[in-house]
Amino acid sequence: MVQETIFSKIIRREVPSDIVYQDELVTAFRDINPQAPTHILIVPNKLIPTANDVAAEDEAALGRLFTVAAKLAAQEGIAADGFRLLVNCNRYGGQEIYHLHMHLIGGRPLGPMLLKTMDDRR
Ligand code: AMP
């Protein structure tokens, strides 16, 4: 059974959030606990729980995550310096919300790729 998360409510605008972009395929909103000056989550409107659950029919929405990320990076003024796009999957990947999402993180040097260890998340 696929269980809805808070992200479905955000997409339907049933709970408050700082939505910066929405179209028929994806919604983007600011992370409630930002790890950098820009930290935006870009989410397919369709509930896909994890990266393990993607199907061919989702390719348009998943491709849209990248085009919206590029648009938002330009809008945020972080495109030239650079940024990180991140998708966590399941427990070892550190996934907390089981509605697939891409993190757009930037606005400062981000350091090495793996910032968090399992110890930090216990
Ligand atoms: P992940 O670990 O990849 O599942 O990331 C989940 C992210 O969702 C975390 O960075 C949280 O800070 C963020 N988050 C959780 N609840 C909300 C919310 N209501 N609005 C915005 N971001 C949220």
Side-chain angles (χ1 to χ4, degrees):
M1 242 280 284
V2 173
Q3 279 249 313
E4 271 197 7
T5 73
I6 184 82
F7 288 2
S8 291
K9 291 192 168 69
I10 289 173
I11 290 162
R12 294 196 298 263
R13 296 176 185 255
E14 291 170 5
V15 297
S17 75
D18 191 353
I19 292 180
V20 293
Y21 179 88
Q22 188 165 46
D23 64 23
E24 79 285 6
L25 290 177
V26 305
T27 300
F29 50 91
R30 293 195 191 277
D31 196 291
I32 205 168
N33 182 24
Q35 305 297 307
T38 292
H39 189 169
I40 293 171
L41 303 176
I42 313 168
V43 180
N45 294 339
K46 175 186 167 187
L47 171 47
I48 304 166
T50 79
N52 289 326
D53 303 306
V54 301
E57 68 194 35
D58 302 322
E59 284 173 3
L62 298 174
R64 186 69 58 84
L65 298 181
F66 276 91
T67 49
V68 169
K71 186 198 297 265
L72 292 176
Q75 257 175 41
E76 294 281 310
I78 61 172
D81 281 340
F83 52 88
R84 184 167 293 155
L85 299 176
L86 190 68
V87 177
N88 295 321
C89 179
N90 275 345
R91 196 166 68 91
Y92 277 20
Q95 186 172 5
E96 290 169 2
I97 304 282
Y98 282 79
H99 184 140
L100 189 148
H101 49 280
M102 175 185 277
H103 296 253
L104 165 61
I105 306 168
R108 65 167 172 81
L110 294 170
M113 193 166 76
L114 296 174
L115 293 175
K116 295 199 171 186
T117 67
M118 284 303 288
D119 285 347
D120 296 325
R121 288 185 171 268
R122 249 182 224 141

